[in-house]
Amino acid sequence: MAVNWKKFERTKRLYPNIEYMPSRAADPRDSHRVLWHLVFSMDDPIWNTIMPPSDWNCLCGVRQTARKVTPIP
C-alpha cells in the first residue's frame, strides 16, 4: 500500500480525497462494509487505522477521488 500512497501524494492536487471501496471477498466483514464508499481527505488521520488491508485477509480497497468528503454525523 505504501507504493499506492506515494502515487496518491503525487496527484493529491487533482484528487485530494480517498474513497474506501468494497471488498472482493465472497463474505466481507460487516465492520468493513459500513466503510464502503465513504470518502475522507488524504490528510485525515482515520487512514492510520482503516487503510486496507486493515485486518487479516482484508480484500477491501481504496481509490483516489475528487468527490467531496462524506459528512459524518
Side-chain angles (χ1 to χ4, degrees):
M1 192 38 116
V3 171
N4 286 343
W5 193 263
K6 293 254 185 232
K7 290 178 188 175
F8 291 170
E9 287 177 337
R10 283 195 299 269
T11 55
K12 183 179 178 179
R13 188 174 56 80
L14 295 172
Y15 305 105
N17 302 320
I18 300 176
E19 180 177 2
Y20 197 100
M21 299 304 291
S23 176
R24 300 175 319 237
D27 189 21
R29 296 173 181 88
D30 289 337
S31 60
H32 293 204
R33 191 183 308 258
V34 299
L35 298 169
W36 292 358
H37 301 294
L38 294 182
V39 177
F40 299 98
S41 165
M42 278 185 65
D43 299 324
D44 194 314
I46 195 165
W47 293 117
N48 294 328
T49 56
I50 69 166
M51 180 61 84
S54 57
D55 287 321
W56 174 256
N57 245 1
C58 173
L59 296 176
C60 295
V62 294
R63 71 175 181 162
Q64 206 168 10
T65 184
R67 288 182 49 210
K68 291 185 179 187
V69 171
T70 304
I72 304 295

